[in-house]
Amino acid sequence: QVQLVESGGGLVQAGGSLRLSCAASGRTFITDDMGWFRQAPGKERELVACISWSGRSTYFTDSEKGRFTISRDSAKNTVYLQMNSLKPEDTAVYYCALDIQLAAMTARYWGQGTQVTVSS
């Protein structure tokens, strides 16, 4: 019943910026936490950031702190990830997630993923 659609990924040079967006549709709840995971080739999936229904944001990786900003438009069930000063290590498939479960570091619903590639 729930679908998440990401957009905004692409190929950028180091130091560039991208803004990812994710729109949730279907039978979702405004109170659900939303956020972004990423998975680089051959690496484990990691939670980048999440944001609560009230707008409280949390960042989970050290590398993106100060460079990434998560925001949410709860009325539209849309979450954004502004990524600045991108580095090659940020290269990954980024997945939008809804109803994040921190204990298991997973989520109930996932987007299809959007590729972010940062060249040196």
Side-chain angles (χ1 to χ4, degrees), residues 3 7 17 19 28-30 39 43 56 60-63 71-72 75 80 82 88 93 101 105 113-114:
Q3 288 187 307
S7 63
S17 297
R19 182 178 175 86
T28 185
F29 296 95
I30 194 171
Q39 188 167 24
K43 302 294 184 180
R56 296 185 181 89
F60 294 89
T61 61
D62 292 333
S63 62
S71 60
R72 180 176 185 172
Y80 306 91
Q82 178 67 44
V93 178
Q101 303 173 29
M105 297 300 288
T114 185

Side-chain angles (χ1 to χ4, degrees), residues 11-110:
L11 174 63
V12 299
Q13 294 183 346
S17 297
L18 287 173
R19 182 178 175 86
L20 307 183
S21 63
C22 171
S25 62
R27 296 187 177 184
T28 185
F29 296 95
I30 194 171
T31 55
D32 288 340
D33 291 345
M34 299 184 72
W36 295 91
F37 290 80
R38 69 182 180 186
Q39 188 167 24
K43 302 294 184 180
E44 296 289 334
R45 181 188 64 202
E46 63 179 351
L47 177 59
V48 177
C50 65
I51 186 166
S52 71
W53 65 271
S54 61
R56 296 185 181 89
S57 59
T58 306
Y59 300 88
F60 294 89
T61 61
D62 292 333
S63 62
E64 91 288 349
K65 291 180 180 177
R67 300 186 296 117
F68 291 7
T69 302
I70 189 169
S71 60
R72 180 176 185 172
D73 184 341
S74 294
K76 299 180 179 180
N77 273 344
T78 301
V79 65
Y80 306 91
L81 187 67
Q82 178 67 44
M83 305 185 293
N84 298 325
S85 301
L86 284 163
K87 304 175 181 179
E89 64 193 89
D90 296 318
T91 295
V93 178
Y94 284 70
Y95 295 93
C96 178
L98 173 65
D99 195 5
I100 293 171
Q101 303 173 29
L102 292 180
M105 297 300 288
T106 188
R108 294 187 185 276
Y109 305 102
W110 299 87

